[in-house]
Amino acid sequence: MAVDTDTDVGEGGETVTATVVGGSGFTGGELLRLLAGHPNVELAEVTSRSKAGKSVGSVHPPLRGADLRFTEPDDLESVDVLFAATPHGVSMSQIDDFFDVAETVVDLSADFRLETEEQYDEWYDGHDAPEYLEKAEYALPEINRENLAGAELIAGGGCNATATIMGLYPLVEAGIIDGEQQIVVDVKVGSSEGGAGGGEASSHPERSGVVRPYAPTGHRHEAEIEQFLGTSVAFTCHAVDMIRGASATSHVFPSGPVSKGDLWKAYRGCYEDEPFVRMAAGGSGVYRYPEPKAVAGTNYAEVGFELDPSNKRVVVFSAIDNMMKGSAGQAVHAANIALGFEETAGLEFAGLHPVGAP
Amino acid sequence: MAVDTDTDVGEGGETVTATVVGGSGFTGGELLRLLAGHPNVELAEVTSRSKAGKSVGSVHPPLRGADLRFTEPDDLESVDVLFAATPHGVSMSQIDDFFDVAETVVDLSADFRLETEEQYDEWYDGHDAPEYLEKAEYALPEINRENLAGAELIAGGGCNATATIMGLYPLVEAGIIDGEQQIVVDVKVGSSEGGAGGGEASSHPERSGVVRPYAPTGHRHEAEIEQFLGTSVAFTCHAVDMIRGASATSHVFPSGPVSKGDLWKAYRGCYEDEPFVRMAAGGSGVYRYPEPKAVAGTNYAEVGFELDPSNKRVVVFSAIDNMMKGSAGQAVHAANIALGFEETAGLEFAGLHPVGAP
Amino acid sequence: MAVDTDTDVGEGGETVTATVVGGSGFTGGELLRLLAGHPNVELAEVTSRSKAGKSVGSVHPPLRGADLRFTEPDDLESVDVLFAATPHGVSMSQIDDFFDVAETVVDLSADFRLETEEQYDEWYDGHDAPEYLEKAEYALPEINRENLAGAELIAGGGCNATATIMGLYPLVEAGIIDGEQQIVVDVKVGSSEGGAGGGEASSHPERSGVVRPYAPTGHRHEAEIEQFLGTSVAFTCHAVDMIRGASATSHVFPSGPVSKGDLWKAYRGCYEDEPFVRMAAGGSGVYRYPEPKAVAGTNYAEVGFELDPSNKRVVVFSAIDNMMKGSAGQAVHAANIALGFEETAGLEFAGLHPVGAP
Amino acid sequence: MAVDTDTDVGEGGETVTATVVGGSGFTGGELLRLLAGHPNVELAEVTSRSKAGKSVGSVHPPLRGADLRFTEPDDLESVDVLFAATPHGVSMSQIDDFFDVAETVVDLSADFRLETEEQYDEWYDGHDAPEYLEKAEYALPEINRENLAGAELIAGGGCNATATIMGLYPLVEAGIIDGEQQIVVDVKVGSSEGGAGGGEASSHPERSGVVRPYAPTGHRHEAEIEQFLGTSVAFTCHAVDMIRGASATSHVFPSGPVSKGDLWKAYRGCYEDEPFVRMAAGGSGVYRYPEPKAVAGTNYAEVGFELDPSNKRVVVFSAIDNMMKGSAGQAVHAANIALGFEETAGLEFAGLHPVGAP
């Protein structure tokens, strides 16, 4: 357990204190929103170098009523749990400082997602604190729940990787993906992935209405997907006109015959009892398959599939809100498990209809 | 009190049973979403003639997990409270039936908003049950809270009227609007106002990217606004590219001098203690004035203003989610008061950032 | 030649008369817009059963100034060329009537795209006039220019098929695609593909912000693609939030090693002299790869690619305006060739920046 | 005449050379697009300090085919006409240099729109070259055509001012607006008004789906409107979700009775023969009133109105593409008149349907 045993934290009705480092960005704001409404969390401090002194509500409208100001990140108070929503590279350089003030650290960047220093040498610019890699637990409960209980360092997954893994994991578990096939993953993402601030390409006139190839090859999330699925994927990403959302369409060519029944069995076997997975595979009405707008603002993943007999193909659809299941929501879910809270605490919002994404 | 006195309803922790008549439309879905998460409400029945037999989640994705199916509206069971989300004209013709099965009726249509049969003759096609008009209480707590406690028939306000009234009411209370001035109200609304189903004008290719005058003059909500503000307004409505949202910009020309301090005093006087009003009038950052996207999915109204000395004008901005504060959220808020629950029960969601509307 | 030899049509400065059958839909309107500005075409008649008697400008705003009304389609006058923009199945049943009044027929539906009756039995509901199939020439000049000169029956390509074929054809020509590989094609389309009128799924609230799998497998355009490329493709289509546009991302796994130089050679070899193809493959700035919004309103296809050495993959991007290069523009381009006009006549518009799609 | 008399410029078929100073921004790109397709203009030079050396097509996709690179703005060659698309303040400081190399200067900034130095002191930060103000002619042909012939310095109008003036001018001419009434103008604008580059507020996540008050009072275009209409207006501007477009809704309260016939007479009297004005005032179908998306990409203004008898109000709607009629298109139109070309040369594009704006 990451928190003092002489407090009653972890037994359901107790409260931990929490700090968010890097609270002015989009995922930082999302964390704040979730923690502000979390029954077991008391927000102690929110840091932002660029917005220090300003009220949190002036940056994040949903928090307009909250009596909370950004502070400088240099002198952190001691808390039970520290969430870091800083750019890649920051957490690895400050991880010792983080553990000086908190027993549990939840990092939303890419800094502790991969398992080895070699992976960071290959996909990123190396790693400053490789000794922590072994300690870190990947935040996705659907594939790593048992290791999250009591974890001290939690590493949030990448949003595109999360969408892809949620779609393909049951096929790996069922042996339908066996590492021999070529898998093509085509991901569509919203503009919030680019973060707050923007630049020319993410300005509204240039970004609206796009279907824009971005990271057409060599996306870093390939490493993360391969690490957890045990198979490489040919991954391509497109920016489309939504704000929140990551939608992965995975094209799988099984070695042998696969029926719809096999697929349902595989998916139900993995996800039947999961609190944050909704299946959508055909049926009637407007929403027959997973859609990012159906999960906007929620911690749900929608997962579904279709069989293509003429091409001997399984097409898998998975959709998440990149800022929730793909980042802040996943982090809170994992922290709930680590700290012994109800898994769904603070994450009950089920979404809106109709809604844009945008 | 609308519910049996031998139950303990109204004292905080109790539960009422509720039916939603007309649950397949947008406001019906919104009601279902709110009631499904309401701590004091148990959903008994949801009717829809066109979708009878289908699961509620097949129409409204946020309810995919709920074990709930639409039923035919012809044989309603007895419940504590009945919400009607039917098209204008339906409730007035069935109001006796509604009261046969429920002691409290909350109607979201226009059928009981106006006070007199004459108004319905002028603005609508007359009224089928004028004897109920006197009994009906307008659902907007900010202007009618005291009459809502224990109300048996609650009439939801129009979304555009609600946005306008929320903006102008404090100026009426402060005497800055005195019925002598010409007030211009320019409203921008999202596509959900058109309801589910759509037609050619609301199809995505025709409706996207619009700034489309609609109801340029003679909008029926003028009647409602005049009824509550005691002054006529010159009202014009535009469809713009969002799904949820109604934003009213009201141009007021006070008879005498008005300072910013006067305005702050007027608004704070009315709204300081209101649980669902946020003020935004200048300041720094991106969100300086009310915006529909800052309240999307919530029951909040954002209200703000600016002073235009050179034109001796006060510009008032007010923004709501038309389906929440402008319809289903307002209805639940009013019902909470009528039934003695916490005012904010089921309505705590504070919104998302960033978010589109769309 | 489809037109009288005793007129001077076909020698550059001459004029043909033209009728558009089915002019009130989106592609019909697009045809009208192009033909109204075409230097060699005089519009004789525009039919629409549902809008007969109304001015064309009341349906299609860009034609507000034109003195043109829809007529009933039952009694067509004789013209040089007849364009049919009717739903699938109409042209095949009326093709004899069309040729009674015109020597050249350009059909924008699917009715004459495939080569054999068997294909129509497999992919559609059979064919009413199979004797015309051999006579029909596919409208895509980049792969069929030589057969279009003097063609009497021109069959417009499908928009998604056109986007895909434009992207992959050079790889087929270069032998990089040899019919042995599994090719995955992931297409993103705008809402105008659904046509005017709409239904619930294409209403603005439901269609905005979507990434929605539609025709996830078994799309009819697979037949057309296979017919022209000589290889099957595993095709999946998604609706995204734009009005105009079809973007195909094709994942190709060549049998042997392929360099960027090989790819450039293949694409330049096919498209260097094409008047309506722009290459975009990397480079700097915001627009590095093909994008639908960069070609919105134009007859251009943008084509580009990226090499993925670690997955031995070529990713091909191709983007068109589905209503132009994917339908009406392609039809006019083909008619220009058939009738001996300048290929680019009436199609010079090069697009807007910035622009949404929407 | 602004150009050498020993060339034949001005007699219809001749050609002038032109430079665009500041060609990498949005209005600069729009100018380039128009001039590249203009039958009487040969582009000599396009400057951009930030993009010098890059191909124009790498910034503006519609010009991908053009063999044109940005140059440094420091050493301009002599041309017939120079278009300046630079930020406010640049042209006034370089106007002597401009006239050193060109006999005709068309400035798209605010630098020469107002008539007196006093106005610049009041509304801007003063003026560097007030001696040119008298010489400048406002670019809007509908109100200033006679003075544009042979003009040497043309001052492009502001987009919001243009939209407003186009709507109200006929009422001024007809005496329905007489300077005594309070006029309220509520303008909705697209994101291209913010220019290329963007900042946090104009990033896609923050700018999408907005109805955002901006410049709620004291907008500088009030000065321009008052200058040409002879009456003050109470002006408020909102950012909405489109890229191109400015839509002005003007609320006018005439002193005496006004009929629809009076209004039609006023508008037809002014605009009947105007090549770039379309009237839309009621009627049937989807597009009954002016809409920005109906004129996106074109130089047209759509103008219409509705009468509100119960409030004794005339509501005037006017819509333009802010980058065309509101900037680059208006500039080319005015230059056509100044240089003696066909008024519509290079401006024939009539728009798209359907289309987003976005």
Side-chain angles (χ1 to χ4, degrees), chain C residues 24-26 29-30 33 54 58-65 192 243-244 278-280 284-291 293-294 296-298 302 321 323 349-358, chain D residues 24-26 29-30 33 54 58-65 192 243-244 278-280 284-291 293-294 296-298 302 321 323 349-358:
Chain C
S24 63
F26 286 161
E30 196 74 349
R33 181 178 75 79
K54 303 215 175 205
S58 72
V59 174
H60 306 299
L63 294 163
R64 265 177 179 161
S192 61
I243 295 177
R244 289 166 174 257
R278 294 175 187 153
M279 294 297 302
S284 67
V286 172
Y287 295 85
R288 304 180 183 201
Y289 297 98
E291 291 199 30
K293 64 185 260 178
T298 83
E302 288 195 343
D321 180 329
M323 300 200 358
F349 184 63
L352 300 170
H353 175 238
V355 70
Chain D
S24 63
F26 287 161
E30 196 74 350
R33 181 177 76 79
K54 304 213 176 207
S58 72
V59 175
H60 305 300
L63 294 163
R64 266 177 177 160
S192 61
I243 294 178
R244 289 166 174 257
R278 294 176 187 153
M279 294 298 301
S284 66
V286 172
Y287 295 85
R288 303 180 185 201
Y289 297 97
E291 291 200 31
K293 64 185 262 180
T298 82
E302 287 195 342
D321 181 329
M323 299 200 1
F349 184 63
L352 300 170
H353 176 238
V355 69

Side-chain angles (χ1 to χ4, degrees), chain A residues 252-254 256-260 263 305-315, chain C residues 122-123 182 216-219 222 232-236:
Chain A
V252 177
F253 299 88
V258 173
S259 70
K260 277 213 169 182
L263 295 172
F305 53 80
E306 199 51 77
L307 202 55
D308 176 11
S310 73
N311 289 293
K312 292 178 183 153
R313 176 176 56 140
V314 178
V315 190
Chain C
E122 182 184 350
W123 292 93
Q182 188 57 69
T217 64
H219 193 290
E222 281 192 17
S232 72
V233 297
F235 188 93
T236 295

Side-chain angles (χ1 to χ4, degrees), chain A residues 26 30 33 54 59-62 64 192 243-244 278 280 284 287 294 297 302 323 349-356 358, chain B residues 26 30 33 54 59-62 64 192 243-244 278 280 284 287 293-294 297 302 323 349-356 358:
Chain A
F26 286 161
E30 197 74 348
R33 181 177 75 79
K54 304 215 176 206
V59 174
H60 305 298
R64 266 178 178 159
S192 61
I243 294 178
R244 288 166 175 258
R278 294 176 186 151
S284 67
Y287 296 85
E302 288 196 344
M323 299 197 5
F349 184 63
L352 300 169
H353 175 237
V355 70
Chain B
F26 287 161
E30 197 74 349
R33 180 177 76 78
K54 303 215 176 207
V59 174
H60 305 299
R64 266 178 177 160
S192 61
I243 294 177
R244 288 166 175 259
R278 294 175 186 153
S284 67
Y287 296 84
K293 64 185 262 180
E302 288 196 343
M323 300 199 0
F349 183 63
L352 299 170
H353 175 237
V355 70

Side-chain angles (χ1 to χ4, degrees), chain A residues 244-294:
Chain A
R244 288 166 175 258
S247 167
T249 300
S250 302
H251 307 263
V252 177
F253 299 88
S255 309
V258 173
S259 70
K260 277 213 169 182
D262 297 334
L263 295 172
W264 274 115
K265 193 173 160 199
Y267 282 90
R268 287 211 177 104
C270 279
Y271 291 149
E272 198 158 39
D273 299 325
E274 284 297 338
F276 291 115
V277 181
R278 294 176 186 151
M279 293 298 302
S284 67
V286 172
Y287 296 85
R288 304 181 183 199
Y289 298 97
E291 291 201 30
K293 65 185 260 177

Side-chain angles (χ1 to χ4, degrees), chain B residues 118-148:
Chain B
E118 290 67 36
Q119 288 171 297
Y120 280 94
D121 288 341
E122 183 184 349
W123 291 94
Y124 294 85
D125 301 321
H127 204 285
D128 291 350
E131 66 276 16
Y132 281 92
L133 292 177
E134 200 174 352
K135 183 177 187 171
E137 289 299 338
Y138 197 64
L140 201 59
E142 287 82 0
I143 67 170
N144 198 36
R145 181 175 278 104
E146 61 190 27
N147 294 317
L148 285 168

Side-chain angles (χ1 to χ4, degrees), chain B residues 159 190 192-193 243-246 320-328:
Chain B
C159 48
S192 61
E193 282 209 1
I243 294 177
R244 288 166 175 259
I320 61 171
D321 180 329
N322 58 302
M323 300 199 0
M324 286 291 298
K325 184 69 179 172
S327 182

